[in-house]
Amino acid sequence: MSELKLFNTLTREKESFVPVKAGEVRMYSCGPTVYNHPHIGNLRTFLWSDLLRRYLEWRGYRVTQVMNITDVEDKIIRNANAAKQDINTYTAPFIDEFHTSLKELRVKPADSYPRATDFIPQMVTLVEELRARGHTYEVEGSTYFRVASLPSYGRLARVEIATDSGFSRVESDEYEKENARDFVLWKAKKEGEPSWPSAIGEGRPGWHLECSAMSMHLLGETFDIHTGAVDLIFPHHENEIAQSEGATGKPFVRFWIHGEHLNIDTQKMSKSLGNIYTLAEIREMGYSPLALRYALLSVPHRTKLNFTTQSLDDAKNALQRIELFLLRLDEIATSAPRDAKHSDGHAQELIGNFLSAFQEAMDDDLNTAGALGAIFTLIRETNVAIDAGRITSSDAAGIRTALHKIDPVFDIFPAREQSIDADVERLIEARNAARKARNFAESDRLRDELLAMGIVLEDGAGGTRWRKKS
Ligand code: AMP
Ligand code: ZN
């Protein structure tokens, strides 16, 4: 069996994944900045972070995943002020929408969703530690990180700390800094901004500080995986490393995993450009959250993805093929007595090939396209074998089990509720056909079968409707 390899931005190489503590993985995923609706670009990043967690679990690791919610930073304050609301009132609906979107997309909840405003004391302590180690300076009540104090600064993003660093001090909003790459840890209180009294003066945290403090508090000073999209490599993640390693003197994160963007007309989908789609808009366009899940996951995380409705149509078709195939397997698996002794062993071979192709693809830096390809190879080859009369009922049950074995990773099979719906529709159609053929014995039998499933039929002018028996 192959071993899991993940591309680590720190080394720019696919490395064998080995966690700090055998059998356990601790991962931190940069979560949403809740100043606007989450868009499907953000959701792409959250989906593959969840897929990574699910695959690690499938590989037998116990995973702890933390995803922060940035609920205080410049844009939130600006928008809340414009709406004449305090930041909690302003961010609440966006936090709700974030959770609902993830749930609809079948993203497994993280172990915790720390909110920045709940971790102010830990952030202040971190700044004090950095100050004690000589990494900070203060200007007019704000505390800055001095990048020149940390020789390894720039290792992740591969940037140099030149004195002339390529962008003007006047353009960057904190032009009282010593070096343009220096960044603010703690911002002095300003009129019209929320602030917290603290030992380092009254003020509020900088965005980078939030993630360092929360991740180390919840996962320890050194942990396994940190995720986000590529826009976070610099400066956000570089600065997280500086703050954490500057304070502890220990390596902060082993694997930095970054995903490419979801683009639209080759431009990054972003709240500030205004070219966004939300999950609600996708639904209004007539696509299910499951189709979006499939479309976004079918492209590996390190590949740029241009959003088109064609990709949603393709996803819809792919999901339909899987669903029909599962129904076909169900029919065969339940149609005849289990007859393992008649199997010619072909199905076992198909299952073996499928499971190893699936794992090999996923082990290769989560090659989701390859893993889904393995499902369709299995479908195609099984269909050929069924048509040739080579699949017994126990073979069909075995293939179904193999597919269900990988489902915890992709979670794209119809929900139980949906498959009941499909079964009901199928029986109603059969009953309508029987009635049309005036085969009333058969149509009554089908009505009884549905009743036994708890389904009541109502025949009316507009056709047959059904409801669940209350
Ligand atoms: P934000 O809410 O802007 O802090 O972003 C939340 C997450 O979504 C971060 O990991 C970002 O890097 C990521 N992200 C932002 N825009 C996109 C995009 N167009 N495609 C993929 N990920 C994105
Ligand atoms: Zn972060």
Side-chain angles (χ1 to χ4, degrees), residues 30-35 39-46 48 70 207 227-232 259-263 268-271:
C30 282
T33 306
V34 284
Y35 75 99
H39 59 70
I40 60 173
N42 304 133
L43 297 175
R44 176 186 190 196
T45 297
F46 302 146
W48 70 252
T70 298
W207 171 39
T227 68
V230 287
D231 57 307
L232 297 190
E260 273 294 344
H261 286 140
L262 182 68
N263 291 332
K268 178 189 167 197
M269 186 176 290
S270 78
K271 296 172 215 179

Side-chain angles (χ1 to χ4, degrees), residues 199-254:
I200 49 172
E202 178 146 3
R204 65 180 174 94
W207 171 39
H208 315 304
L209 183 70
E210 299 178 3
C211 281
S212 278
M214 290 188 281
S215 62
M216 291 201 291
H217 182 76
L218 293 164
L219 296 171
E221 291 175 343
T222 302
F223 56 91
D224 302 294
I225 295 177
H226 197 126
T227 68
V230 287
D231 57 307
L232 297 190
I233 298 174
F234 191 83
H236 186 51
H237 288 161
E238 190 69 56
N239 292 351
E240 278 191 46
I241 296 176
Q243 295 162 148
S244 299
E245 300 194 351
T248 68
K250 296 177 191 158
F252 175 42
V253 168
R254 302 267 294 254

Side-chain angles (χ1 to χ4, degrees), residues 18-242:
V18 182
V20 178
K21 211 164 156 192
E24 276 180 38
V25 179
R26 284 166 294 151
M27 68 186 275
Y28 184 89
S29 303
C30 282
T33 306
V34 284
Y35 75 99
N36 207 331
H37 304 280
H39 59 70
I40 60 173
N42 304 133
L43 297 175
R44 176 186 190 196
T45 297
F46 302 146
L47 275 165
W48 70 252
S49 303
D50 177 54
L51 186 84
L52 170 58
R53 173 246 181 108
R54 285 166 173 266
Y55 189 60
L56 289 163
E57 286 175 343
W58 193 79
R59 282 298 236 123
Y61 293 107
R62 215 172 66 224
V63 183
T64 307
Q65 186 190 19
V66 172
M67 180 177 277
N68 70 295
I69 293 179
T70 298
D71 63 350
V72 54
E73 56 80 75
D74 298 349
K75 295 184 289 295
I76 294 174
I77 295 168
R78 183 194 64 203
N79 288 9
N81 282 343
K84 298 199 172 14
Q85 287 176 336
D86 64 72
I87 55 170
N88 279 339
T89 313
Y90 180 75
T91 56
F94 298 125
I95 294 175
D96 280 351
E97 188 179 342
F98 158 74
H99 286 299
T100 323
S101 301
L102 292 198
K103 192 159 175 224
E104 287 181 41
L105 285 169
R106 301 189 181 182
V107 171
K108 272 176 91 168
D111 293 272
S112 60
Y113 291 99
R115 291 174 60 157
T117 50
D118 290 332
F119 288 80
I120 302 291
Q122 288 81 357
M123 295 172 198
V124 171
T125 305
L126 187 56
V127 175
E128 287 178 313
E129 281 162 6
L130 288 169
R131 184 163 66 180
R133 285 175 170 250
H135 292 300
T136 68
Y137 62 92
E138 281 170 42
V139 181
E140 293 168 10
S142 293
T143 307
Y144 290 87
F145 190 98
R146 179 185 284 117
V147 295
S149 70
L150 196 74
S152 60
Y153 188 86
R155 196 163 49 114
L156 178 75
R158 307 205 167 166
V159 293
E160 301 285 327
I161 326 170
T163 24
D164 172 13
S165 57
F167 60 95
S168 113
R169 288 180 183 207
V170 186
E171 263 167 24
S172 79
D173 59 353
E174 295 128 8
Y175 46 85
E176 58 277 63
K177 294 182 296 189
E178 287 176 5
N179 179 306
R181 293 246 192 261
D182 290 351
F183 57 93
V184 71
L185 296 163
W186 187 258
K187 297 190 177 187
K189 175 185 163 69
K190 250 197 214 157
E191 203 43 47
E193 291 195 351
S195 60
W196 288 262
S198 83
I200 49 172
E202 178 146 3
R204 65 180 174 94
W207 171 39
H208 315 304
L209 183 70
E210 299 178 3
C211 281
S212 278
M214 290 188 281
S215 62
M216 291 201 291
H217 182 76
L218 293 164
L219 296 171
E221 291 175 343
T222 302
F223 56 91
D224 302 294
I225 295 177
H226 197 126
T227 68
V230 287
D231 57 307
L232 297 190
I233 298 174
F234 191 83
H236 186 51
H237 288 161
E238 190 69 56
N239 292 351
E240 278 191 46
I241 296 176

